[in-house]
Amino acid sequence: NAGVTQTPKFQVLKTGQSMTLQCAQDMNHEYMSWYRQDPGMGLRLIHYSVGAGITDQGEVPNGYNVSRSTTEDFPLRLLSAAPSQTSVYFCASNPTGVRRFYGYTFGSGTRLTVV
Amino acid sequence: SQQGEEDPQALSIQEGENATMNCSYKTSINNLQWYRQNSGRGLVHLILIRSNEREKHSGRLRVTLDTSKKSSSLLITASRAADTASYFCATDPITQGGSEKLVFGKGTKLTVNP
């Protein structure tokens, strides 16, 4: 099925551990982004990419790292997990070039708890 | 920083009634989008309205945009229990040098009672 696939769906980390949240899309979308969703805060942009090899920071990038080596994949790395990073993480994609005519396609999310 | 702010934060109605949600934003935009999120799920795109459009329809959804007031509304007609979800507006702001950032509001939680 075409869409955005996120893995894992759930994860518990200890403070200080590192991990990578995976995001893959099979729609040949150039634009990909990561958001975090916290209660009462809506969605906040972490990092985004407009194509392979190009990434940029969003609103809340501290503590996170991204890379974009292929069009399909956009992993999000937590360098040293902190309890403040407990959140639900969403990956979204969009076909750049017509981005202003089409909405984003979201993955189903990764629920991360840092203890 | 939040660009769009939805109002009300929560709305409870009976099946068959209409539901209206509002969104206000602060800066000039290229477009405004509405998304639905069912509990524990990802966001689903509902409708996009460009800055030069005033009204758009999709099935039971009607979206209006007033750029002079920097506001939008989402109307769901003849609501169903399956419409129970959170609804988010998102704006594509016009920025110097171009923008690649969609900015979301905090959402309206809609409950449709059978």
Side-chain angles (χ1 to χ4, degrees), chain A residues 18-71:
Chain A
S18 63
M19 80 159 293
T20 300
L21 279 63
Q22 301 291 346
C23 175
Q25 53 90 11
D26 57 1
M27 298 171 286
N28 202 32
H29 285 177
E30 292 292 329
Y31 180 89
M32 297 184 75
S33 56
W34 278 101
Y35 286 85
R36 60 178 289 175
Q37 184 177 33
D38 302 293
M41 296 292 292
L43 279 82
R44 292 181 292 170
L45 181 64
I46 305 172
H47 285 286
Y48 66 95
S49 168
V50 297
I54 306 169
T55 63
D56 206 346
Q57 295 181 350
E59 181 186 356
V60 288
N62 292 341
Y64 307 96
N65 209 354
V66 292
S67 60
R68 185 91 180 272
S69 56
T70 66
T71 299

Side-chain angles (χ1 to χ4, degrees), chain B residues 78-92:
Chain B
S79 62
R80 306 165 181 168
D83 294 328
T84 294
S86 290
Y87 292 82
F88 294 87
C89 74
T91 53
D92 179 0

Side-chain angles (χ1 to χ4, degrees), chain A residues 2-115:
Chain A
V4 177
T5 302
Q6 289 184 238
T7 56
K9 293 190 183 304
F10 302 94
Q11 183 71 49
V12 179
L13 283 181
K14 293 182 179 178
T15 297
Q17 285 185 320
S18 63
M19 80 159 293
T20 300
L21 279 63
Q22 301 291 346
C23 175
Q25 53 90 11
D26 57 1
M27 298 171 286
N28 202 32
H29 285 177
E30 292 292 329
Y31 180 89
M32 297 184 75
S33 56
W34 278 101
Y35 286 85
R36 60 178 289 175
Q37 184 177 33
D38 302 293
M41 296 292 292
L43 279 82
R44 292 181 292 170
L45 181 64
I46 305 172
H47 285 286
Y48 66 95
S49 168
V50 297
I54 306 169
T55 63
D56 206 346
Q57 295 181 350
E59 181 186 356
V60 288
N62 292 341
Y64 307 96
N65 209 354
V66 292
S67 60
R68 185 91 180 272
S69 56
T70 66
T71 299
E72 294 78 17
D73 300 299
F74 190 43
L76 178 71
R77 298 183 186 85
L78 279 70
L79 308 174
S80 178
S84 61
Q85 294 178 304
T86 294
S87 188
V88 182
Y89 291 84
F90 289 100
C91 181
S93 73
N94 188 274
T96 299
V98 292
R99 188 176 64 83
R100 300 204 160 102
F101 297 88
Y102 294 93
Y104 285 23
T105 301
F106 277 82
S108 57
T110 294
R111 187 174 294 272
L112 175 68
T113 302
V114 183
V115 297

Side-chain angles (χ1 to χ4, degrees), chain B residues 11-32:
Chain B
L11 180 61
S12 181
I13 60 175
Q14 296 300 121
E15 212 166 20
E17 292 180 340
N18 295 342
T20 299
M21 288 159 268
N22 302 297
C23 172
S24 59
Y25 57 93
K26 298 174 185 173
T27 65
S28 297
I29 59 172
N30 294 298
N31 66 64
L32 184 145

